[in-house]
Amino acid sequence: MPTATPPISRSLFAFSILYGGMTCIAGILGNKQVALGPLAVEAGIFAFLLLVVLSSAVAELHGRETANRLVVLGFVPLIVSMLLILTVLALPASPEMDSERLAGFQLVLAQSPRLMGAGIVAYGISQLLNVGLFSLMRREGGLLWLRGALASILSQIVDTLIFITLAFYGVFPILDLMIGQMLTKVVLSVVLVPPLIHGFVAIGRKLDSR
């Protein structure tokens, strides 16, 4: 007699949907540079920080193995969304479409294959690293906010090293860009990640207690 498959928890279901959405939107948001006081950063970092928070919250609530599966499954909406964008870009535009709107659409979405590939590689390595570091520190009994911040800082530094090197090495000098991005991500990881992780873990526990 086949064994019944246990139902997915409410928190894992909700966080998985949000996680998939963030993988799709991060690259689009990255087309805008935002100023945060003296810091300048591409806006995709906010979606990537939410990915870090969500994978850490899932690791806290459901364990490292489940969080790693979430990261791996995140490749599906990420790659499918990229393929859909490439397909839409390749299709001819309607002659009735406003030319300025078409130019803006092409400018925002027409990323090079090199940028897309760099984003996929950086996503996978940095997110799995984040889950691994967070879970390792959990076994050592570290505080939730501290584990979240440290894992985010280290994984975002690695993300920056990989993405900028793969995307821009040989195109222009990358050292200044790399340092600036790392500094910004470290600051945002310290300021935003701890309260967000506490919030998502609390929400997850409340959802699962119903």
Side-chain angles (χ1 to χ4, degrees):
M1 187 173 181
T3 304
T5 303
I8 186 172
S9 69
R10 288 186 175 92
S11 66
L12 185 56
F13 178 74
F15 291 172
S16 297
I17 292 175
L18 183 56
Y19 190 94
M22 291 302 100
T23 64
C24 296
I25 199 67
I28 296 174
L29 293 178
N31 284 281
K32 180 174 181 177
Q33 299 282 318
V34 296
L36 301 174
L39 302 175
V41 63
E42 47 88 13
I45 181 60
F46 298 112
F48 275 111
L49 284 177
L50 276 175
L51 291 175
V52 168
V53 168
L54 287 165
S55 61
S56 297
V58 169
E60 181 73 11
L61 295 167
H62 304 288
R64 178 177 182 175
E65 184 177 343
T66 300
N68 280 336
R69 283 202 299 268
L70 177 68
V71 172
V72 172
L73 288 173
F75 281 105
V76 176
L78 176 60
I79 293 174
V80 169
S81 64
M82 287 181 174
L83 292 175
L84 282 174
I85 288 172
L86 291 173
T87 300
V88 171
L89 287 170
L91 292 173
S94 167
E96 298 178 359
M97 185 174 183
D98 180 75
S99 59
E100 291 186 0
R101 186 169 183 175
L102 175 60
F105 182 87
Q106 297 283 130
L107 179 64
V108 169
L109 295 179
Q111 297 184 18
S112 70
R114 180 173 176 176
L115 283 174
M116 290 185 177
I120 291 174
V121 174
Y123 158 79
I125 294 176
S126 65
Q127 286 297 102
L128 290 172
L129 177 63
N130 174 72
V131 171
L133 292 172
F134 181 87
S135 301
L136 179 63
M137 287 185 282
R138 182 186 184 191
R139 289 202 299 269
E140 301 299 323
L143 297 172
L144 176 60
W145 68 267
L146 183 60
R147 286 185 278 127
L150 290 176
S152 178
I153 288 170
L154 294 173
S155 64
Q156 288 303 301
I157 288 174
V158 170
D159 177 86
T160 302
L161 286 169
I162 293 172
F163 178 76
I164 292 181
T165 300
L166 293 180
F168 303 118
Y169 182 77
V171 178
F172 55 79
I174 61 174
L175 183 59
D176 289 344
L177 175 62
M178 193 174 287
I179 293 174
Q181 291 290 304
M182 284 183 186
L183 175 61
T184 304
K185 289 179 179 181
V186 167
V187 172
L188 291 177
S189 292
V190 170
V191 173
L192 296 180
V193 169
L196 286 174
I197 285 183
H198 272 283
F200 275 100
V201 169
I203 291 170
R205 286 174 176 158
K206 186 172 183 179
L207 287 172
D208 293 340
S209 67
R210 293 181 179 177

